Amino acid sequence: MDYIVQQTLNALSFGAEYALIALGLAIVFSIMNLVNFAHGEVIAIGGYTMMVMATLAFKNPIIIILGAVLAAIIMALFLERIAFRPVRYADATTGLLTAFGVSLILQNLFLLLVSPRPIAVTSMYFLDWPIRLGPIQISSLQIFETLATLIAILLLVLFLKKSLLGIAMRAASLDFEMVRLMGIRANRVIAAAFAISGLLAGIAAIFIIARRGAVDPTLGFNPVLKAFVACVVGGFGSLPGAVLGGFLLGALEVGMLVLLPQSYGGMKDAFVFAIIAIILVWRPEGILSPPKEKGDKI
Amino acid sequence: MTVVPLVLLSLQKTNMLEVKNLSVFYGRIKVVHSIDFSVKKGSCVALLGPNGAGKTSTISSILGTVSSSGSIRFLDKDISKMHTEERVKLGISIAPEGRRVFSNLSVFENLFIGSAIREDRKAADEEINAWLKTFPILDERRDQAAGTLSGGEQQMLTIARALMSRPKILLLDEPSLGLAPRITRQVFELIQDLKAQGMTILLVEQNATEALKLADFSFILNSGNVIASGSSEEILNKGDLMSSLTGVEA
Amino acid sequence: MRYPMTQGLRKHISGINMTTIAIIKNYNKSNIREKIMKQFLKNLSKILFVSFIAFPAFGDTIKVGFPVPLTGEYAPYAEIQGAKCMAEIINKNGGVNGKKFELLVQDTGTDTQTAISLTEKFLEQGVIAIGTIPFSDTMIPVAQIAAGYGVTILQAQSTQVEMHTGIVDNFISNVSPDPFTAAAAAEYALSEGVKNVVLLTSDDGGSWSAKTPLWFGEAIENGGGKVLSKMNFSIPTSDWSPQVAEMKKLSTTPDAVYISSIMPDVGVLIRQMKAAGIDAWVFGSDGLDDPSLDSVADSDKSILDKVAFGTLAPSQPGSAMQAFQKECKAMGMPVDGMFPALGADVIMAIAYAVEKTGGTDPEAIRKALRDADSIPVRTVESVSFKKNKSHAERTVPVIGFKDGVRVLLSNTIPSFVPSWK
């Protein structure tokens, strides 16, 4: 029983990380139909910023955290400006390829400018200490990460429900042109979406670094692939779908790791994806696919 | 000899919207061919014509959502190079064809986003409440997704949303499309009310009978050209033209 | 910041920095945007497809080809830094029999097809040996092409067992295959009284991550120990809590865990095991041999007390490798980590064979390498290919930590190596 509770908590914390990253993908996709694979490199920028700040002898963790998050936001906005704005009205494939290209270029820049190998960044270790609840053991990091994800979701929902910009972003996910016809600047809405995705990437970077204690060029790319799967299964473009998909993927991964006999262990991912495939047969658009219907364009 | 320019000048002054030599393109295809028309302040002008005549393209070009050439002057300013958002801020608002309410937003949020460009938040909020009072059915569904409203209710919401920005001119694109006759009447009553309150309106309609009742002046489009214009009376007198183009018996 | 590259490359990169700034400054002037984009791409291509010859040719030179991964997934394993530094050292001292080294280096971007094309190009330019992407799916086709020219694939760091099954004859690895590192680690573990072990395996890194733990287990069982459990993981893994929970569930507490995976992943495992109160050794392979492992002890010196790994060359303070790295750094040619440093051995082995044969005939070079009883190299005293032909016979160091600092725990040729061919 304790073991089941323990592994359930582990699954939750896996899911929280996927959900956090998936949200960053979903918020951009919902507005721009852009699968931003470069989101991982925005996370990596957060990590490399922490590395640079540590070398520059910044000690205060709050300043390092703020610096990393700020760097991620600026990076997200910068990428939107130089890479994604020129292809904003191109079809989805062009956007996808652009994002892949940007991701590849950035990974190799990290590799050439910093190092192909992991570089230690231990300034976030302080977030991680063991907590024992009877026979259950969790890490403070698991709690922080799950809490941060939940708070991020809550604040995001509040923002999207209560602020004009948030409402405009929701509206834009359905009918961008009509939002412009309300006099709301397209650039502002898109920049807001990228800034939020950058913020989420920055937060994710803090937790990833706190756990891994090192940065390397693929720091963000691998988690983003997982988050992409989470978005697909949850329903691409749906924010609740991204969160649900993230937690579902976390549960599936931990479940398969624990339940599969060792001799089938190499098939873990195959089983995870088989289950996801079955879900997609049942709901081809993902579990919580966002509303698609649009009025006729003018 | 000097009288003529003066007259022109005075005409120009009262023209809120003046379109000259307007052509509209979809890619390389020209769908509207160098048309001229104007809308005087406080008047209701109708663009009539059959399906595919270029009415919606014309109205879209005024807000800059399709590419066009020629001059579009609004309040004596050339707006043809402006972004859509800037044109809206100058005081042009649209209730588009197909209504295009934000179906994933609540009724309230639809009205709220309609007031996006306004600075006077408090007055805008009061106005939202006033609209909700005007249409009790919208008030009942204040917090429901607008997608759950009926077609007529959505049309009322679309017009109310367009008015929330306090426009100087209201563009109405096929407000009666797909509505039951009883609802259509209600919509036109609302437009009549707006006109009575002094709102400048550019109306695109296939339902020429109702449109002509409202309009002070009409332009008839066919295949991207203005083929006739005049007061409703003049248009109705050209009976053959009307029936052949719009199916309305004069 | 570390720059794992040469001056030439660094120049290209400072060039791109300037351009990037120019882009940021001028981007708003949209009429020049296209021009800037072109410039940007041009500069980028300089970096990504950088092609340069390290040393000017002086007539009769010893050409060695390196179609290697400077970018992409396997870039961490490139041996270039050490090879270049060693070549420079030899050249400065007058070369070998008056012949100087000329290294032909070009980036494959971790792509096999590119490696093959570059190999063909280098072969035409007369290289006598080649080092490439250290994975069998690249090494095998590259070796097959090089065979036609009599040229040897001389790999600084390849531990893959697939290369020693006789599939190609012109392949020589400067190090011992994975079973040796696993066996050396097991030998040390047994000497520490380790009995019950848990093996973490993954199919994601081929035999290196899937079988090396099993060889470790075999060597442990050969010494009277027991494999308690095998557990799966993926590469990469950044959270080991499910596996750690499974370890806690075992009825017998493990004395040691073995894993062959990459950093920083294993660092996370070490910390999570410690946090969970599992007081077991963590043994590993050369994948742990990365400076970022040392940083795990930043906040707690004792955390690495029971961490050790069998690796390819000793890298503790005072080792030959560290002396080499220091020398290179002083020359302005930094060599970061073990894999780059191993490049030095390849250059020294070639130098030995050139001297021995008095020429640069590639087949004679290969024969000389395989005939020698002992070839002096840089990261260890000497290697020999006489016994194994396709890989070196050399001592396998086991590195551990004391107060967070690397110490050499043992450095022998393991007496029991599980059968692996």
Side-chain angles (χ1 to χ4, degrees):
Chain A
M1 186 60 206
D2 296 338
Y3 176 71
I4 296 171
V5 174
Q6 176 79 63
Q7 293 292 27
T8 309
L9 288 173
N10 291 341
L12 263 178
S13 106
F14 267 63
E17 181 167 318
Y18 295 153
L20 194 59
I21 300 170
L23 265 181
L25 284 182
I27 195 139
V28 168
F29 183 85
S30 68
I31 290 166
M32 286 187 71
N33 271 333
L34 170 76
V35 183
N36 183 12
F37 274 103
H39 191 62
E41 283 55 57
V42 177
I43 295 176
I45 278 288
Y48 280 106
T49 304
M50 285 186 244
M51 178 196 80
V52 171
M53 290 179 87
T55 0
L56 297 177
F58 280 94
K59 287 276 180 282
N60 187 334
I62 304 288
I63 292 179
I64 296 181
I65 287 174
L66 288 179
V69 171
L70 196 67
I73 294 173
I74 291 170
M75 186 66 183
L77 288 172
F78 175 71
L79 288 184
E80 191 274 318
R81 189 69 185 80
I82 71 149
F84 298 125
R85 195 174 292 184
V87 299
R88 184 182 293 172
Y89 300 108
D91 59 42
T93 324
T94 309
L96 185 76
L97 290 176
T98 305
F100 253 122
V102 168
S103 165
L104 213 65
I105 289 170
L106 286 174
Q107 278 182 45
N108 279 306
L109 281 179
F110 296 147
L111 191 150
L112 289 166
L113 296 174
V114 187
S115 168
R117 292 181 303 96
I119 304 282
V121 181
T122 55
S123 45
M124 291 296 122
Y125 272 0
F126 75 97
L127 287 172
D128 194 3
W129 67 87
I131 295 171
R132 262 167 254 270
L133 305 165
I136 308 294
Q137 145 130 22
I138 41 176
S139 135
S140 58
L141 200 58
Q142 290 179 314
I143 299 179
F144 288 144
E145 188 159 21
T146 312
L147 271 182
T149 303
L150 294 178
I151 292 170
I153 294 168
L154 199 73
L155 290 179
L156 196 55
V157 167
L158 273 178
F159 171 77
L160 290 173
K161 288 262 181 206
K162 297 294 172 199
S163 74
L164 176 65
L165 195 54
I167 292 172
M169 285 170 67
R170 280 162 59 214
S173 71
L174 201 70
D175 191 344
F176 205 135
E177 188 175 88
M178 201 61 227
V179 172
R180 299 185 65 199
L181 288 170
M182 300 284 110
I184 300 167
R185 288 214 316 273
N187 287 346
R188 218 172 129 228
V189 176
I190 291 178
F194 272 90
I196 290 173
S197 84
L199 172 72
L200 294 169
I203 296 170
I206 289 160
F207 291 114
I208 292 175
I209 293 297
R211 183 168 290 129
R212 296 175 92 225
V215 285
D216 59 34
T218 57
L219 174 78
F221 188 73
N222 294 312
V224 162
L225 285 183
K226 295 278 175 69
F228 173 70
V229 175
C231 282
V232 169
V233 72
F236 227 121
S238 151
L239 301 183
V243 174
L244 177 75
F247 280 102
L248 186 71
L249 186 65
L252 278 178
E253 284 204 329
V254 174
M256 284 301 135
L257 203 59
V258 171
L259 296 176
L260 275 185
Q262 213 276 334
S263 46
Y264 292 101
M267 311 268 285
K268 185 196 89 186
D269 287 339
F271 275 91
V272 170
F273 284 109
I275 293 174
I276 283 169
I278 292 168
I279 294 174
L280 290 177
V281 168
W282 166 56
R283 304 276 304 202
E285 303 273 318
I287 301 172
L288 300 175
S289 51
K292 273 272 151 59
E293 86 278 17
K294 292 188 181 188
D296 299 327
K297 298 279 184 200
I298 298 183
Chain B
M1 287 300 280
T2 53
V3 177
V4 176
L6 272 177
V7 170
L8 277 177
L9 197 66
S10 69
L11 268 175
Q12 215 165 15
K13 274 206 167 146
T14 53
N15 274 349
M16 181 173 265
L17 180 71
E18 193 163 7
V19 172
K20 272 190 184 147
N21 201 21
L22 176 79
S23 298
V24 181
F25 306 86
Y26 284 99
R28 287 187 178 172
I29 301 163
K30 199 172 179 183
V31 290
V32 173
H33 308 276
S34 308
I35 63 167
D36 298 341
F37 69 93
S38 57
V39 182
K40 284 195 180 67
K41 187 171 186 293
S43 73
C44 175
V45 169
L47 294 179
L48 305 175
N51 246 338
K55 309 185 299 286
T56 292
S57 302
T58 303
I59 213 169
S60 300
S61 70
I62 294 168
L63 273 161
T65 54
V66 291
S67 53
S68 63
S69 68
S71 125
I72 305 169
R73 296 186 72 82
F74 178 65
L75 297 173
D76 269 345
K77 233 186 243 169
D78 185 3
I79 60 166
S80 62
K81 297 281 176 288
M82 286 184 183
H83 290 298
T84 298
E85 297 91 325
E86 291 173 277
R87 301 187 202 198
V88 173
K89 280 189 183 134
L90 280 180
I92 307 175
S93 191
I94 188 167
E97 185 182 6
R99 300 181 273 278
R100 290 169 73 174
V101 296
F102 297 111
S103 59
N104 60 335
L105 303 190
S106 72
V107 169
F108 173 81
E109 286 167 336
N110 266 279
L111 293 170
F112 181 70
I113 199 172
S115 68
I117 60 169
R118 286 177 60 171
E119 308 279 337
D120 51 340
R121 200 57 264 156
K122 217 171 154 199
D125 287 342
E126 277 164 20
E127 226 168 284
I128 292 177
N129 287 329
W131 277 113
L132 292 173
K133 284 216 177 71
T134 316
F135 300 109
I137 184 75
L138 294 183
D139 200 19
E140 267 171 46
R141 309 205 174 163
R142 183 180 183 278
D143 297 316
Q144 272 183 40
T148 62
L149 299 176
S150 72
E153 290 156 9
Q154 287 193 14
Q155 188 59 57
M156 298 301 182
L157 179 60
T158 302
I159 295 174
R161 180 181 67 181
L163 289 167
M164 280 307 301
S165 65
R166 285 276 172 96
K168 297 187 176 73
I169 185 169
L170 177 65
L171 315 185
L172 290 167
D173 195 355
E174 305 275 12
S176 73
L177 192 73
L179 299 182
R182 186 176 59 86
I183 311 292
T184 302
R185 254 191 317 281
Q186 284 178 5
V187 170
F188 280 109
E189 271 165 29
L190 172 64
I191 300 170
Q192 183 67 56
D193 273 0
L194 291 173
K195 191 189 162 196
Q197 285 167 37
M199 176 59 68
T200 312
I201 295 169
L202 178 60
L203 173 68
V204 158
E205 255 300 337
Q206 283 195 60
N207 187 341
T209 320
E210 289 289 343
L212 287 170
K213 278 186 205 160
L214 276 172
D216 301 313
F217 203 83
S218 300
F219 294 85
I220 309 225
L221 267 68
N222 193 19
S223 306
N225 294 298
V226 174
I227 53 166
S229 63
S231 67
S232 299
E233 206 171 303
E234 288 164 350
I235 301 278
L236 285 166
N237 285 340
K238 298 173 187 170
D240 293 350
L241 175 83
M242 276 308 291
S243 63
S244 63
L245 283 179
T246 63
V248 175
E249 297 298 325
Chain C
M1 296 245 282
R2 290 157 205 253
Y3 293 90
M5 57 210 138
T6 63
Q7 296 291 350
L9 189 51
R10 210 182 287 181
K11 249 179 239 163
H12 287 305
I13 284 168
S14 56
I16 197 174
N17 281 345
M18 293 311 294
T19 323
T20 316
I21 292 161
I23 290 171
I24 299 164
K25 279 188 183 158
N26 294 323
Y27 200 78
N28 280 330
K29 300 168 194 166
S30 61
N31 54 333
I32 61 165
R33 190 169 72 188
E34 210 171 303
K35 208 171 132 196
I36 288 175
M37 261 335 270
K38 268 185 199 154
Q39 184 63 31
F40 178 71
L41 290 173
K42 212 171 114 195
N43 272 285
L44 205 61
S45 64
K46 273 191 200 163
I47 283 200
L48 295 180
F49 307 104
V50 65
S51 162
F52 52 89
I53 291 166
F55 303 100
F58 294 110
D60 194 10
T61 58
I62 308 163
K63 287 185 183 174
V64 187
F66 288 102
V68 288
L70 296 178
T71 61
E73 206 185 339
Y74 296 146
Y77 309 110
E79 67 271 46
I80 287 312
Q81 291 178 327
K84 283 189 168 217
C85 176
M86 195 68 235
E88 176 71 20
I89 292 170
I90 293 175
N91 286 353
K92 260 207 250 171
N93 293 324
V96 187
N97 294 344
K99 292 190 183 69
K100 300 215 167 173
F101 270 101
E102 182 184 346
L103 307 193
L104 310 180
V105 182
Q106 206 161 338
D107 182 24
T108 61
T110 311
D111 174 55
T112 297
Q113 199 50 53
T114 312
I116 290 171
S117 310
L118 291 173
T119 299
E120 282 164 345
K121 177 176 143 189
F122 291 154
L123 287 168
E124 284 304 322
Q125 291 175 9
V127 296
I128 58 166
I130 278 180
T132 187
I133 305 169
F135 289 84
S136 50
D137 49 0
T138 306
M139 291 187 293
I140 291 170
V142 164
Q144 283 165 342
I145 291 162
Y149 293 76
V151 169
T152 310
I153 306 307
L154 191 49
Q155 206 64 40
Q157 73 295 56
S158 167
T159 62
Q160 286 204 306
V161 289
E162 290 84 350
M163 296 311 294
H164 309 289
T165 49
I167 190 165
V168 286
D169 178 54
N170 56 333
F171 176 86
I172 297 177
S173 173
N174 163 55
V175 293
S176 304
D178 295 322
F180 289 81
T181 56
E187 225 166 79
Y188 178 76
L190 289 165
S191 77
E192 283 289 316
V194 167
K195 286 261 175 290
N196 300 309
V197 300
V198 169
L199 309 178
L200 288 168
T201 63
S202 170
D203 287 344
D204 298 342
S207 61
W208 178 70
S209 62
K211 286 196 178 152
T212 313
L214 304 183
W215 289 316
F216 176 85
E218 224 178 301
I220 288 286
E221 283 179 338
N222 180 64
K226 192 178 165 220
V227 174
L228 291 180
S229 169
K230 292 171 199 162
M231 294 173 191
N232 281 294
F233 70 97
S234 311
I235 299 176
T237 293
S238 59
D239 189 345
W240 300 86
S241 49
Q243 285 92 343
V244 170
E246 243 184 297
M247 288 176 201
K248 292 210 84 170
K249 198 184 69 162
L250 293 171
S251 51
T252 314
T253 319
D255 304 319
V257 170
Y258 186 92
I259 182 166
S260 185
S261 185
I262 52 169
M263 287 299 296
D265 298 15
V266 184
V268 182
L269 173 70
I270 292 164
R271 292 177 58 230
Q272 290 190 328
M273 278 174 61
K274 174 92 173 177
I278 299 174
D279 181 36
W281 280 88
V282 175
F283 286 105
S285 65
D286 52 323
L288 275 72
D289 200 346
D290 187 274
S292 62
L293 174 63
D294 308 43
S295 311
V296 172
D298 270 5
S299 52
D300 174 7
K301 297 264 179 260
S302 70
I303 197 165
L304 294 175
D305 282 357
K306 290 180 100 176
V307 174
F309 52 90
T311 185
L312 311 178
S315 56
Q316 79 283 2
S319 62
M321 190 194 292
Q322 288 218 346
F324 173 64
Q325 286 167 328
K326 212 181 251 173
E327 187 179 346
C328 292
K329 201 172 176 190
M331 290 166 60
M333 303 177 79
V335 178
D336 302 315
M338 177 191 67
F339 291 107
L342 285 167
D345 292 356
V346 171
I347 297 300
M348 281 191 71
I350 295 171
Y352 167 87
V354 169
E355 196 169 357
K356 203 83 184 164
T357 61
T360 53
D361 174 55
E363 305 222 26
I365 296 276
R366 180 159 72 233
K367 189 168 179 309
L369 288 172
R370 284 179 174 163
D371 285 348
D373 290 317
S374 164
I375 300 168
V377 291
R378 195 66 202 255
T379 63
V380 288
E381 231 164 72
S382 65
V383 294
S384 165
F385 306 107
K386 199 170 186 178
K387 184 176 156 200
N388 304 311
K389 301 298 177 209
S390 62
H391 66 83
E393 171 146 60
R394 61 192 274 165
T395 56
V396 181
V398 177
I399 306 244
F401 292 86
K402 194 166 190 300
D403 294 329
V405 180
R406 287 175 185 231
V407 286
L408 184 64
L409 300 176
S410 68
N411 191 13
T412 57
I413 297 173
S415 54
F416 171 83
V417 178
S419 86
W420 53 279
K421 275 196 177 171

